[in-house]
Amino acid sequence: MDTTRRGFLASTVAASGVAVTQNVAHGADDHAHDHQALPSDPVLRVKSLESLLVEKGLVDPAALDAVVETYERKVGPRNGARVVARAWVDPAYKSRLLADGRSALKEFGYGGATGEDTLVVENTPRLHNLVVCTLCSCYPWPLLGLPPVWYKSAPYRSRAVIDPRGVLREFGVTLADDVEVRVWDSTAELRYLVLPERPTGSENMSEEALAALVTRDAMVGVAQVALPQKGAQL
Amino acid sequence: MDTTRRGFLASTVAASGVAVTQNVAHGADDHAHDHQALPSDPVLRVKSLESLLVEKGLVDPAALDAVVETYERKVGPRNGARVVARAWVDPAYKSRLLADGRSALKEFGYGGATGEDTLVVENTPRLHNLVVCTLCSCYPWPLLGLPPVWYKSAPYRSRAVIDPRGVLREFGVTLADDVEVRVWDSTAELRYLVLPERPTGSENMSEEALAALVTRDAMVGVAQVALPQKGAQL
Amino acid sequence: MNGVHDMGGQQGMGPIQYEKNEPVFHAPWEGRVYAFNRTLGAWRKWNLDASRHGVELLPPADYFRMSYYERWLTRLINISISTGLLTREEVESGKPAPGTAKATPPITIANVEAAAIIRASARRPDAVVARFAVGQKVRARNMNPVGHTRLPRYARAKSGVIDRDHGVFLFPDTTAHFLGEKPQHVYSVRFSARELWGEEAKPQDGIYLDLFDDYLEPA
Amino acid sequence: MNGVHDMGGQQGMGPIQYEKNEPVFHAPWEGRVYAFNRTLGAWRKWNLDASRHGVELLPPADYFRMSYYERWLTRLINISISTGLLTREEVESGKPAPGTAKATPPITIANVEAAAIIRASARRPDAVVARFAVGQKVRARNMNPVGHTRLPRYARAKSGVIDRDHGVFLFPDTTAHFLGEKPQHVYSVRFSARELWGEEAKPQDGIYLDLFDDYLEPA
């Protein structure tokens, strides 16, 4: 437990520039590696922090529960999927959505945290859009919920801008050489949602049935929307 | 021991691109961190590797001893210091050294490993030279021995090219605003040695006494050469 | 800050690790860390940009070793200590400093929806004049601030075209360091893939960045 | 490869940690690792550039976590396995595969000075024509190879002046991948600090890089 706390504080201290964890000259006994110890059990650390925050009156545990509950049960890719399906069946809505995402999304009641300035970009047979945040992990929370680990990871963030076609191939999407790829790097407080192509053969489907086809990945731009019988989606 | 080996191999495998250590999706029990374990005791690992290499007849332990002995006892900054002192007292040698470092260094018998193409760059009151290798840790071994940890470390390698004056300040060297700074990034098989300024007041000193003043740091360009009475050197 | 967080264009990070049916949080503690971050901001000791910068300040070895929510946890503790919301001793012991009066949380179950889940916008109503117009050719400045910035290294000194004017937003470079909001226009700037990455990129491909007025100069 | 090893211009790496009276090796195992690296090359299974690339291929988390000689140890094991000098099972067990005949080391105490301590030069006698002349203005190419290269990211697409022609050397980008030596001229190229880092740099300061013919184009 003592080691735990020390390792934990070492990392805290390092972040404020007091210590560095790299290439520090180390003695022959090599014990200097201690400070690189894994941040031990986060479960215990978070429990201890929460009890401190509650005891100091800095947070209301019920409010914490509500935040977790919101993203675990209420806000997720189904939000974005409803918008996409509506745009597919309602050309007037689609025009509003592409021209002024903010207002069109408000028609669904979507907005708020990081969503108030969402831009919707449309895929066509000639144009493919891909969304990334190279600097951190910005993502349209109100429309897609919290991002998956791969979206937040170094491999995706690093390569999406320099090798979008290679990234797409890794996701199983192969683009023709003459398609235009547009990568949207979310460097400010704008968020991006891809309006995928409506799959051929879906002409007779209802808005609800269409919404069920639309995946999170398609709205990030790393997948296309397929009809169910055409094979399993990622 | 078993954990040791596993952690060790994980790292080996990762380097060949089979696994990644970062942001790997992890289960609720958080055990996936195992593969990030510190490469445990290098002493044991190196011992095991050496015994394997010897048993296979791939290395001669006596030759290993000789390599270690060479850099621990024979080759080091005293080599470079002798060259610098000679250049200070012998203008003809200095001319040869700056014009064709390779030949001039051969007069001392210095050459070989990474030293066959060493360039000597001269500090003056108007010009300060600083040597770095941003991509790895290239260094003039035959003249200075093996580099110190700080030279091989991220803080030095990253900042020497973008903020050489700040780096120099950290080493206690403050340059006038109108001095020209030249940073030599050792990106190919050329190596660099800084010929520091001869300290004022050293006019009557012998070549040997001068050589004793010249530090490793001064020949990398992060220090100036001072007379002993002017205070302790780094 | 030219840090390891500025990942655009890096290689050698390994394959993308896709997890099927990924849960929102992989463990309850991740949810708590997320919720701390979303609610503690209401104390107004810091702002979103300062908080982002907190992750950037992690030593590279930690940045790469930690999972996403470990980074969030660490930056939260760091910024709580540096802004005085918590003391190091409190974090270490898990107990409030002796004699601390209990505060009242600004965010409770009653107002959490409005106060935390709907976050304040970074858009500003200020009537700031735009320095650039849609269609104009611009160059991202070759700037290397040691503090927070949202101009990635890969776009610096590169030329692009203003594609859209998003309007006026607070400026992260100053906001993150509590030096004022300096509201200014943000533009979507299109850079051709070839301008950024050379001749091997497809000529028709483009990368769009949302860049602040202060990041740009006429090309 | 645009990897974390390419550190020029990065910030946030912390202060320089200076050690007074630093020993050559901090522990005997470091010396052994160094000596393995200096002697095993004589088996001609790899070359210096391939070996350097081996460090670049370490996952970033490992690169930052490991000490210098831990990196050397890991790359040595990796390249020994990938080139067939050792098998993974041998490394794991510390024992030669059953039935392996004992070899004779090419480097022994008798020839170690000439064969290992004096390393072969990368200079080549080939009469290759230089594409650039001293004093000529050049631009470093905007290239982003996924393999080994010695053109740092911070100099790409930047303009400089040929300061010196060092002569002909083998080309690391091909040599590291066993694709031939492709001998060519290496030049010392001077870049002004302002060209590389913008207006905050001092106008008189310069950064000199040793760059291969294939990295350059006329400016």
Side-chain angles (χ1 to χ4, degrees):
Chain A
M1 192 59 175
D2 187 42
T3 311
T4 299
R5 288 254 157 75
R6 248 188 293 123
F8 171 43
L9 283 177
S11 164
T12 305
V13 169
S16 17
V18 182
V20 231
T21 63
Q22 187 208 1
N23 277 341
V24 178
H26 46 85
D29 61 0
D30 225 56
H31 281 157
H33 282 307
D34 278 353
H35 66 283
Q36 295 178 335
L38 278 181
S40 46
D41 193 347
V43 177
L44 293 179
R45 288 165 56 204
V46 170
K47 211 164 258 176
S48 160
L49 181 61
E50 179 162 347
S51 111
L52 170 64
L53 294 171
V54 171
E55 219 177 315
K56 284 196 81 171
L58 298 176
V59 296
D60 171 5
L64 301 176
D65 294 342
V67 171
V68 172
E69 167 92 3
T70 297
Y71 289 96
E72 282 199 325
R73 307 194 189 271
K74 297 180 195 160
V75 175
R78 295 343 302 157
N79 287 4
R82 278 194 287 270
V83 173
V84 167
R86 173 72 52 84
W88 281 346
V89 300
D90 180 346
Y93 181 75
K94 179 174 155 183
S95 298
R96 292 200 299 282
L97 184 68
L98 295 174
D100 181 1
R102 182 157 54 157
S103 307
L105 293 169
K106 283 226 174 99
E107 298 177 32
F108 277 87
Y110 302 149
T114 82
E116 67 280 359
D117 278 290
T118 299
L119 279 81
V120 180
V121 289
E122 184 186 16
N123 282 354
T124 73
R126 317 289 319 134
L127 174 66
H128 188 91
N129 293 283
L130 181 69
V131 179
V132 67
C133 172
T134 60
L135 296 174
C136 48
S137 307
C138 298
Y139 192 75
W141 290 349
L143 293 166
L144 297 183
L146 301 184
V149 168
W150 62 259
Y151 181 88
K152 301 180 285 193
S153 73
Y156 182 74
R157 286 166 52 196
S158 58
R159 285 175 51 213
V161 288
I162 191 174
D163 183 23
R165 290 164 186 270
V167 166
L168 287 167
R169 270 193 304 274
E170 226 166 289
F171 277 95
V173 176
T174 305
L175 298 177
D177 266 5
D178 58 349
V179 167
E180 176 184 344
V181 174
R182 291 186 182 171
V183 183
W184 302 85
D185 189 356
S186 315
T187 52
E189 292 305 325
L190 291 303
R191 297 294 172 266
Y192 291 88
L193 185 84
V194 174
L195 175 59
E197 283 183 77
R198 179 170 176 170
T200 48
S202 68
E203 293 72 17
N204 297 324
M205 291 175 73
S206 71
E207 189 176 330
E208 288 70 23
L210 286 168
L213 297 182
V214 180
T215 62
R216 172 197 71 196
D217 292 357
M219 294 181 279
V220 176
V222 297
Q224 280 150 340
V225 178
L227 293 183
Q229 62 269 33
K230 289 206 171 172
Q233 297 169 48
L234 273 180
Chain B
M1 192 60 177
D2 187 42
T3 312
T4 298
R5 287 255 157 74
R6 246 189 291 122
F8 171 44
L9 282 176
S11 164
T12 305
V13 169
S16 16
V18 182
V20 230
T21 63
Q22 187 209 3
N23 277 340
V24 177
H26 46 86
D29 61 0
D30 225 57
H31 280 158
H33 282 308
D34 278 354
H35 65 285
Q36 296 178 333
L38 279 181
S40 47
D41 193 346
V43 177
L44 294 180
R45 288 165 56 203
V46 170
K47 212 165 257 181
S48 160
L49 180 61
E50 178 162 348
S51 111
L52 170 65
L53 293 171
V54 171
E55 220 177 315
K56 285 195 82 171
L58 298 176
V59 296
D60 171 4
L64 301 176
D65 294 342
V67 171
V68 172
E69 167 92 1
T70 297
Y71 289 95
E72 282 198 325
R73 305 194 190 272
K74 297 179 195 162
V75 176
R78 294 344 302 157
N79 287 4
R82 278 193 288 269
V83 173
V84 168
R86 174 73 50 86
W88 282 346
V89 300
D90 180 345
Y93 181 74
K94 179 174 156 183
S95 298
R96 293 201 298 282
L97 183 67
L98 295 175
D100 180 2
R102 182 157 52 158
S103 307
L105 293 169
K106 281 223 174 103
E107 299 178 31
F108 277 89
Y110 302 150
T114 83
E116 66 280 355
D117 278 289
T118 298
L119 279 80
V120 180
V121 289
E122 183 186 16
N123 282 354
T124 74
R126 315 293 316 136
L127 174 65
H128 189 92
N129 293 283
L130 182 68
V131 179
V132 66
C133 172
T134 60
L135 295 173
C136 48
S137 307
C138 297
Y139 192 75
W141 291 347
L143 293 166
L144 297 184
L146 301 184
V149 168
W150 62 259
Y151 181 87
K152 301 180 286 192
S153 73
Y156 183 73
R157 286 166 51 196
S158 59
R159 285 174 52 213
V161 288
I162 191 173
D163 183 24
R165 288 164 187 271
V167 165
L168 287 167
R169 269 193 304 274
E170 227 165 289
F171 277 94
V173 176
T174 305
L175 297 178
D177 266 6
D178 58 349
V179 167
E180 176 184 345
V181 174
R182 293 187 181 170
V183 183
W184 301 85
D185 189 357
S186 315
T187 52
E189 292 305 325
L190 291 302
R191 297 293 172 267
Y192 292 88
L193 185 83
V194 174
L195 175 58
E197 284 183 78
R198 179 171 175 170
T200 47
S202 67
E203 291 71 17
N204 298 323
M205 292 176 73
S206 71
E207 189 177 329
E208 288 69 25
L210 285 169
L213 297 182
V214 180
T215 62
R216 173 197 70 197
D217 293 357
M219 294 181 278
V220 176
V222 298
Q224 280 150 341
V225 177
L227 293 185
Q229 61 268 34
K230 289 205 171 173
Q233 297 168 50
L234 274 180
Chain C
M1 190 178 102
N2 300 346
V4 294
H5 70 280
D6 185 357
M7 289 195 174
Q10 287 290 89
Q11 298 162 333
M13 299 287 180
I16 296 164
Q17 306 266 325
Y18 192 92
E19 183 185 355
K20 285 194 184 184
N21 303 315
E22 185 178 332
V24 172
F25 300 112
H26 288 80
W29 71 266
E30 295 193 343
R32 305 317 276 181
V33 169
Y34 181 76
F36 297 157
N37 274 274
R38 290 299 294 278
T39 53
L40 281 172
W43 285 98
R44 302 199 171 280
K45 296 276 189 179
W46 58 81
N47 55 59
L48 175 64
D49 299 291
S51 183
R52 281 207 186 105
H53 192 49
V55 171
E56 299 167 3
L57 289 174
L58 294 176
D62 292 339
Y63 190 100
F64 280 110
R65 174 176 47 77
M66 291 179 177
S67 73
Y68 185 71
Y69 287 112
E70 282 172 342
R71 283 182 221 147
W72 275 43
L73 174 61
T74 308
R75 70 131 175 232
L76 180 76
I77 289 167
N78 288 337
I79 206 167
S80 296
I81 293 173
S82 68
T83 60
L85 189 68
L86 301 175
T87 67
R88 193 175 300 277
E89 294 67 32
E90 287 176 327
V91 171
E92 200 172 350
S93 67
K95 295 280 167 204
T100 312
K102 186 163 179 170
T104 304
I107 293 183
T108 63
I109 186 67
N111 67 351
V112 61
E113 178 78 20
I117 293 169
I118 298 175
R119 195 169 61 180
S121 172
R123 193 179 274 284
R124 289 294 173 269
D126 306 61
V128 179
V129 175
R131 290 174 54 233
F132 302 98
V134 171
Q136 189 174 348
K137 205 175 167 198
V138 293
R139 204 176 85 116
R141 290 176 55 209
N142 185 0
M143 51 184 258
N144 294 274
V146 292
H148 182 63
T149 187
R150 297 291 292 184
L151 174 59
R153 262 186 100 176
Y154 75 82
R156 296 184 197 159
K158 303 295 182 187
S159 296
V161 174
I162 304 275
D163 186 69
R164 195 188 301 229
D165 183 342
H166 293 304
V168 176
F169 290 79
L170 61 80
F171 188 47
D173 301 38
T174 48
T175 305
H177 299 284
F178 311 106
L179 297 171
E181 293 196 341
K182 211 182 173 188
Q184 55 190 273
H185 281 258
V186 175
Y187 311 90
S188 177
V189 182
R190 179 194 167 96
F191 296 89
S192 83
R194 287 206 166 167
E195 168 75 7
L196 296 181
W197 310 115
E199 294 308 303
E200 289 191 29
K202 290 260 182 292
Q204 75 271 27
D205 291 355
I207 292 93
Y208 292 70
L209 284 79
D210 292 321
L211 299 181
F212 289 80
D213 228 321
D214 277 6
Y215 296 162
L216 301 172
E217 57 195 19
Chain D
M1 191 179 101
N2 299 347
V4 294
H5 69 281
D6 185 357
M7 289 195 173
Q10 287 290 90
Q11 297 161 333
M13 298 288 179
I16 295 163
Q17 305 266 323
Y18 192 92
E19 182 184 356
K20 285 194 185 183
N21 303 314
E22 185 177 333
V24 172
F25 300 112
H26 288 81
W29 71 266
E30 296 193 342
R32 304 318 274 182
V33 169
Y34 180 77
F36 297 159
N37 272 273
R38 291 298 295 276
T39 53
L40 281 171
W43 285 99
R44 302 200 169 279
K45 296 276 189 179
W46 58 80
N47 55 59
L48 175 64
D49 299 290
S51 184
R52 281 207 186 107
H53 192 47
V55 171
E56 298 167 5
L57 289 174
L58 294 176
D62 291 339
Y63 190 99
F64 280 110
R65 174 175 47 77
M66 290 178 178
S67 73
Y68 185 73
Y69 286 112
E70 282 173 341
R71 284 182 219 147
W72 274 44
L73 174 60
T74 307
R75 71 133 175 226
L76 180 76
I77 288 166
N78 288 336
I79 206 166
S80 296
I81 292 172
S82 68
T83 60
L85 190 68
L86 301 174
T87 67
R88 193 176 300 278
E89 293 67 32
E90 287 176 326
V91 172
E92 199 172 350
S93 68
K95 295 282 167 200
T100 311
K102 186 164 180 170
T104 305
I107 292 183
T108 63
I109 186 65
N111 66 351
V112 62
E113 178 78 20
I117 293 168
I118 296 174
R119 196 168 62 181
S121 172
R123 193 179 274 284
R124 289 294 174 266
D126 306 60
V128 179
V129 175
R131 291 172 54 233
F132 303 97
V134 170
Q136 189 174 348
K137 204 175 168 198
V138 293
R139 205 176 83 116
R141 289 176 55 209
N142 184 359
M143 51 184 258
N144 293 273
V146 293
H148 183 63
T149 187
R150 297 290 292 185
L151 174 58
R153 263 185 99 177
Y154 76 82
R156 295 184 197 159
K158 303 295 182 188
S159 296
V161 174
I162 303 275
D163 185 68
R164 196 190 300 230
D165 183 341
H166 293 304
V168 175
F169 290 79
L170 61 81
F171 188 47
D173 301 38
T174 48
T175 305
H177 299 284
F178 310 107
L179 296 172
E181 292 196 342
K182 211 182 173 189
Q184 56 191 271
H185 281 258
V186 174
Y187 311 90
S188 178
V189 182
R190 179 194 167 96
F191 297 89
S192 83
R194 288 206 164 166
E195 167 76 6
L196 296 181
W197 311 115
E199 293 308 303
E200 289 192 30
K202 290 259 181 294
Q204 76 271 28
D205 291 354
I207 293 92
Y208 291 71
L209 284 79
D210 292 321
L211 300 180
F212 288 80
D213 228 320
D214 278 6
Y215 297 161
L216 301 173
E217 57 196 19

